[in-house]
Amino acid sequence: MKIYNSLTRRKEEFVPLEAGKVKMYACGITVSGEAHIGHAFQAIIYDVFRKFLEKKGYEVTYARNYTDVDDKIIARSHETGIPADKYAAMMIDKINAVMKRADVDDPTLWLKATENIGNIISFIQGLIDGGHAYPAANGDVYFDVDSFPAYGQLSGRSKEDSLDGVRVENDEEKKNAYDFALWKAAKPGEIAWDSPWGRGRPGWHIECSAMNRAAFGDQIDIHGGGRDLVFPHHENEIAQSEALTGKRFAKYWTHNGLIKVNGQKMSKSLGNSLLLGDLLDKYSSDALKFALLSGNYRNDINITDDLFPSAEAHLVRFYTLIDRAEKAFPNETGKEAEIDRRFDAAMEDDFNTALALSDLFGYFKEVARLLDANDPKARRITNQIRETYALLGLFKKDPAGYLAAYGEKEADVPAEVKAVADERFAARKAKDWAKSDELREKLKSLGYAVKDSKDGYALEKI
């Protein structure tokens, strides 16, 4: 099994630190607002990582954190009049609820900054004692970047380059502008804790290092997060952890791509954030996962207007065939192991969900053919699909219930037309342009025009 390591910039054979066991950590959500589709993408990716590693026989301890104290949370506390700790707890409850709707399982361990203040203070004191951090006169504590010569190994940035695009605060209190805060002195009205340096709260970067060490010890196998965290967050985690322990912090660094909306980076300032709850009011959790997992997890995802409708249309077709197979052969319990073997082969190549999902179009084309021939192998294939692809969160729902909720989106399109359109979509993904053109003409002969997009297609009656 191979995993792409952001640190070495290549795929590497996966060999855990301890045989048969995996320690995995993924940076979670800062709970200053509600969960959006970017949060869901990252949570889904690492949920899949964990489940496939478990399928491979590893004992996985998977930890995620909630950042439940920071500048944004304090600002929201002041805006709403809700104390920062109560505001954070309220948002965690909301985020947990919507992640459940998205069918994302809890990690083995939930870690919170506010529940690890003692661990954070001890970690910072260890850095000070080792000459890697220093308290400032105002009560802040900073990491001394010059004390860690390997700084920049993950991002490829030099210390001087590290200032680009990063807000520099309290420059007069630091030895160097690129030093970063481990502990922030409390301002009036802010949530704070006692420390050897005065009342204050943790900096953002230190919490993950300290919580990791408390949960796992000095080293972990896999550290994950969005690509936007490579610098400065993950770079600073490496510096803190390795400066304290003298050991390699994480063996494999993994990063998922970012979300774009119609070609633009998703951000609150642009007003194009897509809240997860709003999307789940319109589309099934299957459709969200199918859409998000149809590309390489390391690539950005461009959410166009038809991305989720197209994913739902594919799933309506697939669930329809599952429903037909289960009704036609209610007592058939056999399975087709080759489907599972192909799935594992795809996933063993750096969790290649895109390849695994592309196989579905061929499988369901065969199911349709077998159903027309009244062959019980159709049910054996759908049995295996449901078992195997449940790992990706797909086909776990009751088909009749799913179709009742979402089937109306394609109710007027005949099954024969949908089958041809799906086959053409698969041909396009395989870059078989001749086959794609042939099937476009076939759709025309059936009375339908097809409109393509990067992420799918839409059918229109001619």
Side-chain angles (χ1 to χ4, degrees):
M1 177 175 174
K2 292 188 176 180
I3 296 179
Y4 183 86
N5 189 346
S6 301
L7 185 65
T8 60
R9 296 167 180 78
R10 65 176 184 268
K11 289 183 185 179
E12 298 179 356
E13 195 69 28
F14 179 66
V15 181
L17 295 165
E18 182 179 352
K21 296 184 177 181
V22 176
K23 296 184 286 187
M24 183 172 82
Y25 178 90
C27 290
I29 301 172
T30 298
V31 296
S32 56
E34 304 208 21
H36 55 61
I37 191 62
H39 297 138
F41 181 40
Q42 195 250 38
I44 288 167
I45 290 298
Y46 289 99
D47 192 35
V48 167
F49 278 25
R50 184 260 296 271
K51 287 172 179 171
F52 186 68
L53 289 166
E54 288 176 340
K55 185 180 182 185
K56 291 281 291 179
Y58 292 107
E59 179 187 329
V60 181
T61 306
Y62 167 40
R64 286 178 67 81
N65 79 303
Y66 274 127
T67 295
D68 58 348
V69 57
D70 87 326
D71 292 340
K72 293 179 181 177
I73 293 168
I74 291 170
R76 291 293 293 145
S77 169
H78 290 158
E79 289 171 16
T80 62
I82 303 171
D85 55 345
K86 289 183 171 55
Y87 178 83
M90 176 184 72
M91 294 310 303
I92 287 172
D93 287 344
K94 287 186 175 183
I95 292 167
N96 282 340
V98 77
M99 286 294 181
K100 292 291 185 191
R101 288 181 62 196
D103 192 31
V104 177
D105 289 344
D106 284 335
T108 317
L109 301 171
W110 272 120
L111 304 176
K112 299 175 184 175
T114 58
E115 294 176 355
N116 281 270
I117 299 299
N119 294 324
I120 291 168
I121 289 172
S122 296
F123 197 109
I124 294 171
Q125 189 61 58
L127 288 171
I128 293 172
D129 293 345
H132 295 287
Y134 56 93
N138 69 345
D140 291 346
V141 181
Y142 293 98
F143 184 85
D144 184 351
V145 171
D146 281 346
S147 76
F148 188 71
Y151 192 81
Q153 59 186 296
L154 180 66
S155 64
R157 294 192 186 203
S158 68
K159 288 179 293 188
E160 291 72 25
D161 290 341
S162 71
L163 294 175
D164 292 344
V166 177
R167 184 175 65 183
V168 177
E169 295 181 302
N170 299 334
D171 204 17
E172 68 281 358
E173 299 289 341
K174 302 177 183 180
K175 292 182 180 178
N176 294 290
Y178 41 70
D179 293 348
F180 57 89
L182 303 173
W183 187 261
K184 294 186 173 185
K187 297 174 184 174
E190 288 187 348
I191 186 171
W193 291 265
D194 290 329
S195 82
W197 319 288
R199 284 183 66 76
R201 58 188 170 86
W204 176 33
H205 312 298
I206 191 64
E207 65 177 85
C208 290
S209 289
M211 291 189 294
N212 260 292
R213 191 166 190 238
F216 293 122
D218 291 346
Q219 296 178 289
I220 61 173
D221 295 289
I222 299 172
H223 195 310
R227 196 176 65 244
D228 55 328
L229 299 181
V230 170
F231 187 87
H233 187 51
H234 288 167
E235 193 72 75
N236 291 351
E237 279 191 64
I238 290 174
Q240 296 162 164
S241 295
E242 297 186 4
L244 183 71
T245 69
K247 299 175 184 177
R248 184 177 180 181
F249 174 32
K251 191 171 183 183
Y252 304 91
W253 285 87
T254 61
H255 294 93
N256 60 274
L258 307 180
I259 297 289
K260 295 181 179 179
V261 180
N262 292 317
Q264 285 188 304
K265 179 182 176 182
M266 188 178 73
S267 71
K268 191 176 291 187
S269 62
L270 292 174
N272 63 356
S273 293
L274 299 174
L275 295 182
L276 180 57
D278 292 345
L279 289 168
L280 288 168
D281 288 341
K282 298 178 182 178
Y283 309 108
S284 67
S285 60
D286 291 60
L288 265 62
K289 290 187 175 185
F290 189 91
L292 296 174
L293 297 174
S294 287
N296 185 301
Y297 75 89
R298 291 186 279 119
N299 293 342
D300 292 347
I301 293 180
N302 185 31
I303 298 181
T304 56
D305 293 340
D306 60 354
L307 177 64
F308 296 122
S310 177
E312 198 81 89
H314 292 315
L315 287 159
V316 167
R317 167 69 177 160
F318 297 158
Y319 266 108
T320 298
L321 290 166
I322 291 171
D323 190 49
R324 286 179 59 196
E326 292 182 355
K327 287 174 178 174
F329 308 105
N331 299 317
E332 180 60 59
T333 59
K335 297 170 186 174
E336 295 289 322
E338 176 63 12
I339 291 172
D340 199 62
R341 187 200 66 76
R342 284 177 60 88
F343 178 88
D344 285 359
M347 294 292 287
E348 285 166 0
D349 182 13
D350 192 32
F351 306 101
N352 193 341
T353 57
L355 178 58
L357 289 178
S358 69
D359 283 340
L360 287 172
F361 294 95
Y363 296 151
F364 280 109
K365 181 183 177 183
E366 179 67 1
V367 168
R369 186 190 69 79
L370 292 167
L371 284 169
D372 289 342
N374 200 34
D375 189 331
K377 185 179 178 182
R379 176 68 191 268
R380 294 198 293 274
I381 292 175
T382 59
N383 286 345
Q384 189 68 65
I385 287 171
R386 294 196 76 174
E387 179 179 294
T388 296
Y389 285 82
L391 189 145
L392 302 183
L394 302 177
F395 309 120
K396 294 163 67 176
K397 296 178 173 62
D398 169 66
Y402 177 91
L403 293 170
Y406 302 102
E408 69 275 12
K409 292 179 175 59
E410 286 203 348
D412 297 330
V413 180
E416 178 189 5
V417 175
K418 285 185 265 187
V420 175
D422 282 348
E423 184 180 359
R424 181 178 174 277
F425 180 77
R428 283 177 58 79
K429 290 198 80 167
K431 294 182 168 49
D432 186 347
W433 307 121
K435 183 71 171 176
S436 172
D437 289 344
E438 176 190 330
L439 292 169
R440 177 189 286 275
E441 292 305 311
K442 185 172 181 179
L443 285 168
K444 281 185 182 178
S445 72
L446 294 170
Y448 284 84
V450 61
K451 179 182 177 183
D452 295 312
S453 70
K454 179 183 175 183
D455 306 300
Y457 67 85
L459 292 169
E460 294 179 359
K461 195 159 179 56
I462 298 173

